Each structure stands twice: as C-alpha cells, then as structure tokens.
Amino acid sequence: MEDRDAVRLALAQARLAAAEGEVPVGAVVLAPDGRVLGAGRNRREAQHDPLAHAEVVALREAARTAGDWRLDGCTLVATLEPCTMCAGALLESRVRRLVFGAWDEKAGAVGSVLDVLRDRRVGAAVEVVAGVLADECAAVLADFFAVRRASPGPTPSRG
C-alpha cells in the first residue's frame, strides 16, 4: 500500500473521531505485507482515558490482531505527528516505520518539539516519513477547532 493511501485510511479514522466530538486524529498499523492490522482514532472523551490517543488505540488493535505485542516490521501511519507518549508506544511495540501527515508544533515528539524516535540514546531504528498529505491532515484539525472555538463549552486538547 502506498503511503498516501495509508494516510487516507488514517484520515477516515480522524473524520470519524471528529463526528464523535473527539480531536480528529486517526491512525492505522500496516503489517509488513501491507495489510491493515489495526485502526484507531482518538477515544479519550468517549473512554475517559488519557491514553486513548489514535496511535495507542491502533497499536492495541494491531497487537490483538497479530497475537503479539511485538509489531516487528510494521508501519504506523498517523494523521498527526505523534506526541511523546505515542512515540514511546511506537518504540515499545517495535514498529519499524512511521508515516505521518501534519506536524504538531505544540506536542510533536518526532521532530517538532522533541525527536524521540531518532534520539541516538534510545537506540531504536525507526524510519520516519513526515508530511504525507500534510495540508489535508492539518485542515481536518483546523476545521474541527474552528467549529469548537465558535461554540460554547470546553475545547478538547490535542489528545
């Protein structure tokens, strides 16, 4: 599967999250042969779970599908640059490759604020492909927050 096609799958998850009132971030995990092992979207509000970021939800589903927490050779595809927690989860699950769309200038941990995956002290070798369909991924987030700012009530954080 091409990276752009995989990001489109993650964008579909992000749009589902937005429709559910969640911050629209989506993710998918691809097996080495390109099959989708797991898909996820932000679920923090619905699950009352601070760990229910799209990437973690997708990694959990992929591990269940694979029958193993070790996702060697897999690719995580996300619409937004992962945060520190999600970058750590990626390392712990032994994902080989990360593809993401939009940069997260506030909490990104793969080059924007921190660079967890390419820190030599970590010792892991994760290939990073950034900026795939970046404008489209950023637009989904911008549209969501524009609507939220225009309506009363609390605005969810990145999650």
Side-chain angles (χ1 to χ4, degrees), residues 32-129:
D33 66 5
R35 288 176 302 118
V36 175
L37 291 179
R41 59 187 176 275
N42 276 349
R43 306 287 295 148
R44 289 176 21 157
E45 302 297 330
Q47 294 180 359
H48 310 290
D49 180 357
L51 305 180
H53 288 206
E55 300 93 331
V56 172
V57 173
L59 288 167
R60 285 177 174 159
E61 184 175 302
R64 279 191 298 273
T65 300
D68 194 346
W69 64 267
R70 295 169 195 85
L71 298 173
D72 295 311
C74 291
T75 298
L76 176 74
V77 180
T79 58
L80 184 65
E81 175 186 6
C83 68
T84 306
M85 176 185 72
C86 292
L90 209 147
L91 289 171
E92 290 298 320
S93 63
R94 300 185 182 171
V95 166
R96 179 187 62 83
R97 188 167 180 262
L98 167 68
V99 176
F100 71 87
W103 292 94
D104 185 348
E105 299 297 330
K106 292 183 180 179
V110 188
S112 289
V113 179
L114 300 171
D115 199 345
V116 173
L117 299 184
R118 292 176 281 203
D119 187 323
R120 290 183 188 162
R121 295 169 292 183
V122 174
V126 177
E127 177 188 347
V128 177
V129 179

